[in-house]
PDB file of all heavy atoms in Angstrom:
ATOM      1  N   THR A 216       1.406  -2.615  21.994  1.00  0.00           N
ATOM      2  CA  THR A 216       1.042  -2.956  20.562  1.00  0.00           C
ATOM      3  C   THR A 216       2.035  -2.203  19.576  1.00  0.00           C
ATOM      4  O   THR A 216       2.486  -2.905  18.603  1.00  0.00           O
ATOM      5  CB  THR A 216      -0.383  -2.439  20.249  1.00  0.00           C
ATOM      6  OG1 THR A 216      -1.263  -2.909  21.312  1.00  0.00           O
ATOM      7  CG2 THR A 216      -0.865  -2.929  18.929  1.00  0.00           C
ATOM      8  N   VAL A 217       2.305  -1.033  19.756  1.00  0.00           N
ATOM      9  CA  VAL A 217       3.203  -0.282  18.864  1.00  0.00           C
ATOM     10  C   VAL A 217       4.559  -0.866  18.785  1.00  0.00           C
ATOM     11  O   VAL A 217       5.068  -0.899  17.699  1.00  0.00           O
ATOM     12  CB  VAL A 217       3.199   1.174  19.315  1.00  0.00           C
ATOM     13  CG1 VAL A 217       4.096   2.046  18.401  1.00  0.00           C
ATOM     14  CG2 VAL A 217       1.865   1.850  19.461  1.00  0.00           C
ATOM     15  N   ALA A 218       5.094  -1.258  19.906  1.00  0.00           N
ATOM     16  CA  ALA A 218       6.351  -1.879  19.964  1.00  0.00           C
ATOM     17  C   ALA A 218       6.523  -3.051  19.128  1.00  0.00           C
ATOM     18  O   ALA A 218       7.703  -3.302  18.657  1.00  0.00           O
ATOM     19  CB  ALA A 218       6.873  -2.166  21.453  1.00  0.00           C
ATOM     20  N   LEU A 219       5.487  -3.649  18.757  1.00  0.00           N
ATOM     21  CA  LEU A 219       5.529  -4.954  17.873  1.00  0.00           C
ATOM     22  C   LEU A 219       5.541  -4.707  16.496  1.00  0.00           C
ATOM     23  O   LEU A 219       5.715  -5.599  15.739  1.00  0.00           O
ATOM     24  CB  LEU A 219       4.399  -5.946  18.298  1.00  0.00           C
ATOM     25  CG  LEU A 219       4.339  -6.411  19.792  1.00  0.00           C
ATOM     26  CD1 LEU A 219       2.905  -7.046  19.994  1.00  0.00           C
ATOM     27  CD2 LEU A 219       5.396  -7.376  19.888  1.00  0.00           C
ATOM     28  N   ALA A 220       5.279  -3.420  16.163  1.00  0.00           N
ATOM     29  CA  ALA A 220       5.169  -3.055  14.641  1.00  0.00           C
ATOM     30  C   ALA A 220       6.630  -2.944  14.077  1.00  0.00           C
ATOM     31  O   ALA A 220       7.533  -2.661  14.699  1.00  0.00           O
ATOM     32  CB  ALA A 220       4.414  -1.782  14.540  1.00  0.00           C
ATOM     33  N   ASP A 221       6.718  -3.223  12.844  1.00  0.00           N
ATOM     34  CA  ASP A 221       8.025  -3.065  12.165  1.00  0.00           C
ATOM     35  C   ASP A 221       8.336  -1.604  11.843  1.00  0.00           C
ATOM     36  O   ASP A 221       9.550  -1.309  11.826  1.00  0.00           O
ATOM     37  CB  ASP A 221       7.868  -3.848  10.572  1.00  0.00           C
ATOM     38  CG  ASP A 221       7.658  -5.194  10.809  1.00  0.00           C
ATOM     39  OD1 ASP A 221       8.597  -5.935  11.384  1.00  0.00           O
ATOM     40  OD2 ASP A 221       6.727  -5.696  10.309  1.00  0.00           O
ATOM     41  N   ARG A 222       7.307  -0.857  11.708  1.00  0.00           N
ATOM     42  CA  ARG A 222       7.520   0.576  11.506  1.00  0.00           C
ATOM     43  C   ARG A 222       6.354   1.456  12.068  1.00  0.00           C
ATOM     44  O   ARG A 222       5.256   0.903  12.142  1.00  0.00           O
ATOM     45  CB  ARG A 222       7.580   0.780   9.969  1.00  0.00           C
ATOM     46  CG  ARG A 222       7.888   2.217   9.492  1.00  0.00           C
ATOM     47  CD  ARG A 222       8.319   2.142   8.110  1.00  0.00           C
ATOM     48  NE  ARG A 222       8.439   3.451   7.359  1.00  0.00           N
ATOM     49  CZ  ARG A 222       7.586   3.927   6.528  1.00  0.00           C
ATOM     50  NH1 ARG A 222       6.602   3.149   6.106  1.00  0.00           N
ATOM     51  NH2 ARG A 222       7.675   5.079   5.923  1.00  0.00           N
ATOM     52  N   VAL A 223       6.652   2.642  12.556  1.00  0.00           N
ATOM     53  CA  VAL A 223       5.795   3.375  13.158  1.00  0.00           C
ATOM     54  C   VAL A 223       5.695   4.814  12.468  1.00  0.00           C
ATOM     55  O   VAL A 223       6.677   5.333  12.242  1.00  0.00           O
ATOM     56  CB  VAL A 223       6.076   3.555  14.735  1.00  0.00           C
ATOM     57  CG1 VAL A 223       4.876   4.404  15.380  1.00  0.00           C
ATOM     58  CG2 VAL A 223       6.114   2.239  15.320  1.00  0.00           C
ATOM     59  N   LEU A 224       4.433   5.307  12.324  1.00  0.00           N
ATOM     60  CA  LEU A 224       4.220   6.667  11.731  1.00  0.00           C
ATOM     61  C   LEU A 224       3.466   7.493  12.833  1.00  0.00           C
ATOM     62  O   LEU A 224       2.393   7.011  13.329  1.00  0.00           O
ATOM     63  CB  LEU A 224       3.348   6.546  10.461  1.00  0.00           C
ATOM     64  CG  LEU A 224       3.759   5.625   9.370  1.00  0.00           C
ATOM     65  CD1 LEU A 224       2.657   5.667   8.307  1.00  0.00           C
ATOM     66  CD2 LEU A 224       5.133   5.930   8.834  1.00  0.00           C
ATOM     67  N   LEU A 225       4.079   8.615  13.116  1.00  0.00           N
ATOM     68  CA  LEU A 225       3.389   9.475  14.068  1.00  0.00           C
ATOM     69  C   LEU A 225       2.657  10.642  13.362  1.00  0.00           C
ATOM     70  O   LEU A 225       3.151  11.269  12.506  1.00  0.00           O
ATOM     71  CB  LEU A 225       4.505  10.284  15.070  1.00  0.00           C
ATOM     72  CG  LEU A 225       3.944  11.194  15.931  1.00  0.00           C
ATOM     73  CD1 LEU A 225       3.048  10.619  16.935  1.00  0.00           C
ATOM     74  CD2 LEU A 225       5.187  11.943  16.705  1.00  0.00           C
ATOM     75  N   MET A 226       1.376  10.678  13.623  1.00  0.00           N
ATOM     76  CA  MET A 226       0.491  11.679  12.993  1.00  0.00           C
ATOM     77  C   MET A 226       0.066  12.825  13.908  1.00  0.00           C
ATOM     78  O   MET A 226      -0.291  12.496  14.977  1.00  0.00           O
ATOM     79  CB  MET A 226      -0.750  10.966  12.452  1.00  0.00           C
ATOM     80  CG  MET A 226      -0.644  10.102  11.246  1.00  0.00           C
ATOM     81  SD  MET A 226      -2.169   9.836  10.278  1.00  0.00           S
ATOM     82  CE  MET A 226      -2.255  11.408   9.527  1.00  0.00           C
ATOM     83  N   VAL A 227       0.170  13.858  13.488  1.00  0.00           N
ATOM     84  CA  VAL A 227      -0.266  15.131  14.132  1.00  0.00           C
ATOM     85  C   VAL A 227      -1.016  15.995  13.289  1.00  0.00           C
ATOM     86  O   VAL A 227      -0.613  16.438  12.229  1.00  0.00           O
ATOM     87  CB  VAL A 227       0.978  15.940  14.817  1.00  0.00           C
ATOM     88  CG1 VAL A 227       0.416  17.153  15.554  1.00  0.00           C
ATOM     89  CG2 VAL A 227       1.849  15.086  15.589  1.00  0.00           C
ATOM     90  N   ASP A 228      -2.229  16.310  13.594  1.00  0.00           N
ATOM     91  CA  ASP A 228      -3.129  17.114  12.790  1.00  0.00           C
ATOM     92  C   ASP A 228      -3.223  16.824  11.357  1.00  0.00           C
ATOM     93  O   ASP A 228      -3.036  17.736  10.520  1.00  0.00           O
ATOM     94  CB  ASP A 228      -2.701  18.611  13.061  1.00  0.00           C
ATOM     95  CG  ASP A 228      -2.863  19.135  14.545  1.00  0.00           C
ATOM     96  OD1 ASP A 228      -3.815  18.564  15.168  1.00  0.00           O
ATOM     97  OD2 ASP A 228      -2.113  19.978  14.924  1.00  0.00           O
ATOM     98  N   GLY A 229      -3.301  15.518  11.094  1.00  0.00           N
ATOM     99  CA  GLY A 229      -3.521  15.072   9.604  1.00  0.00           C
ATOM    100  C   GLY A 229      -2.215  15.080   8.805  1.00  0.00           C
ATOM    101  O   GLY A 229      -2.327  14.775   7.640  1.00  0.00           O
ATOM    102  N   THR A 230      -1.058  15.168   9.441  1.00  0.00           N
ATOM    103  CA  THR A 230       0.196  14.990   8.667  1.00  0.00           C
ATOM    104  C   THR A 230       1.100  14.089   9.501  1.00  0.00           C
ATOM    105  O   THR A 230       0.940  13.787  10.701  1.00  0.00           O
ATOM    106  CB  THR A 230       0.804  16.354   8.478  1.00  0.00           C
ATOM    107  OG1 THR A 230       1.231  16.864   9.835  1.00  0.00           O
ATOM    108  CG2 THR A 230       0.006  17.304   7.962  1.00  0.00           C
ATOM    109  N   ILE A 231       1.918  13.357   8.730  1.00  0.00           N
ATOM    110  CA  ILE A 231       2.982  12.567   9.399  1.00  0.00           C
ATOM    111  C   ILE A 231       4.231  13.332   9.818  1.00  0.00           C
ATOM    112  O   ILE A 231       4.788  13.904   8.896  1.00  0.00           O
ATOM    113  CB  ILE A 231       3.332  11.264   8.486  1.00  0.00           C
ATOM    114  CG1 ILE A 231       2.161  10.416   8.179  1.00  0.00           C
ATOM    115  CG2 ILE A 231       4.563  10.474   9.032  1.00  0.00           C
ATOM    116  CD1 ILE A 231       2.371   9.411   7.011  1.00  0.00           C
ATOM    117  N   THR A 232       4.422  13.486  11.026  1.00  0.00           N
ATOM    118  CA  THR A 232       5.499  14.300  11.490  1.00  0.00           C
ATOM    119  C   THR A 232       6.842  13.459  11.886  1.00  0.00           C
ATOM    120  O   THR A 232       7.903  14.049  11.952  1.00  0.00           O
ATOM    121  CB  THR A 232       5.057  15.002  12.783  1.00  0.00           C
ATOM    122  OG1 THR A 232       4.704  14.084  13.802  1.00  0.00           O
ATOM    123  CG2 THR A 232       3.944  15.965  12.400  1.00  0.00           C
ATOM    124  N   ALA A 233       6.728  12.144  11.988  1.00  0.00           N
ATOM    125  CA  ALA A 233       7.966  11.307  12.400  1.00  0.00           C
ATOM    126  C   ALA A 233       7.661   9.957  11.987  1.00  0.00           C
ATOM    127  O   ALA A 233       6.483   9.441  11.973  1.00  0.00           O
ATOM    128  CB  ALA A 233       8.324  11.494  13.748  1.00  0.00           C
ATOM    129  N   GLU A 234       8.758   9.182  11.662  1.00  0.00           N
ATOM    130  CA  GLU A 234       8.563   7.717  11.443  1.00  0.00           C
ATOM    131  C   GLU A 234       9.837   7.008  11.667  1.00  0.00           C
ATOM    132  O   GLU A 234      10.934   7.504  11.708  1.00  0.00           O
ATOM    133  CB  GLU A 234       8.162   7.526   9.908  1.00  0.00           C
ATOM    134  CG  GLU A 234       9.101   8.050   8.845  1.00  0.00           C
ATOM    135  CD  GLU A 234       8.662   7.811   7.495  1.00  0.00           C
ATOM    136  OE1 GLU A 234       8.839   6.652   6.973  1.00  0.00           O
ATOM    137  OE2 GLU A 234       7.967   8.702   6.903  1.00  0.00           O
ATOM    138  N   GLY A 235       9.617   5.763  12.046  1.00  0.00           N
ATOM    139  CA  GLY A 235      10.816   4.901  12.378  1.00  0.00           C
ATOM    140  C   GLY A 235      10.359   3.675  13.226  1.00  0.00           C
ATOM    141  O   GLY A 235       9.066   3.512  13.288  1.00  0.00           O
ATOM    142  N   THR A 236      11.167   2.945  13.915  1.00  0.00           N
ATOM    143  CA  THR A 236      10.771   1.951  14.778  1.00  0.00           C
ATOM    144  C   THR A 236      10.223   2.617  16.067  1.00  0.00           C
ATOM    145  O   THR A 236      10.576   3.869  16.204  1.00  0.00           O
ATOM    146  CB  THR A 236      11.839   0.963  15.009  1.00  0.00           C
ATOM    147  OG1 THR A 236      12.877   1.660  15.776  1.00  0.00           O
ATOM    148  CG2 THR A 236      12.482   0.368  13.782  1.00  0.00           C
ATOM    149  N   HIS A 237       9.614   1.792  16.920  1.00  0.00           N
ATOM    150  CA  HIS A 237       9.231   2.454  18.236  1.00  0.00           C
ATOM    151  C   HIS A 237      10.490   2.738  19.002  1.00  0.00           C
ATOM    152  O   HIS A 237      10.464   3.900  19.547  1.00  0.00           O
ATOM    153  CB  HIS A 237       8.460   1.182  19.075  1.00  0.00           C
ATOM    154  CG  HIS A 237       8.185   1.599  20.399  1.00  0.00           C
ATOM    155  ND1 HIS A 237       7.168   2.475  20.870  1.00  0.00           N
ATOM    156  CD2 HIS A 237       8.776   1.039  21.609  1.00  0.00           C
ATOM    157  CE1 HIS A 237       7.123   2.617  22.129  1.00  0.00           C
ATOM    158  NE2 HIS A 237       8.036   1.729  22.609  1.00  0.00           N
ATOM    159  N   ALA A 238      11.573   2.059  19.074  1.00  0.00           N
ATOM    160  CA  ALA A 238      12.683   2.412  19.831  1.00  0.00           C
ATOM    161  C   ALA A 238      13.384   3.637  19.131  1.00  0.00           C
ATOM    162  O   ALA A 238      13.806   4.535  20.028  1.00  0.00           O
ATOM    163  CB  ALA A 238      13.632   1.210  19.706  1.00  0.00           C
ATOM    164  N   GLU A 239      13.388   3.772  17.932  1.00  0.00           N
ATOM    165  CA  GLU A 239      13.902   4.931  17.349  1.00  0.00           C
ATOM    166  C   GLU A 239      13.199   6.264  17.517  1.00  0.00           C
ATOM    167  O   GLU A 239      13.726   7.282  17.937  1.00  0.00           O
ATOM    168  CB  GLU A 239      14.055   4.861  15.726  1.00  0.00           C
ATOM    169  CG  GLU A 239      15.067   3.819  15.279  1.00  0.00           C
ATOM    170  CD  GLU A 239      15.000   3.448  13.860  1.00  0.00           C
ATOM    171  OE1 GLU A 239      13.859   3.779  13.138  1.00  0.00           O
ATOM    172  OE2 GLU A 239      15.914   2.814  13.202  1.00  0.00           O
ATOM    173  N   LEU A 240      11.844   6.134  17.562  1.00  0.00           N
ATOM    174  CA  LEU A 240      11.063   7.255  17.900  1.00  0.00           C
ATOM    175  C   LEU A 240      11.095   7.731  19.387  1.00  0.00           C
ATOM    176  O   LEU A 240      11.016   8.895  19.704  1.00  0.00           O
ATOM    177  CB  LEU A 240       9.534   7.126  17.444  1.00  0.00           C
ATOM    178  CG  LEU A 240       9.360   6.999  15.872  1.00  0.00           C
ATOM    179  CD1 LEU A 240       8.025   6.739  15.589  1.00  0.00           C
ATOM    180  CD2 LEU A 240       9.853   8.320  15.254  1.00  0.00           C
TER     181      LEU A 240
END
Side-chain angles (χ1 to χ4, degrees):
T216 309
V217 181
L219 294 168
D221 297 297
R222 186 160 168 251
V223 183
L224 309 176
L225 175 63
M226 289 202 74
V227 179
D228 296 331
T230 63
I231 295 173
T232 61
E234 59 183 276
T236 65
H237 173 67
E239 289 169 348
L240 291 178

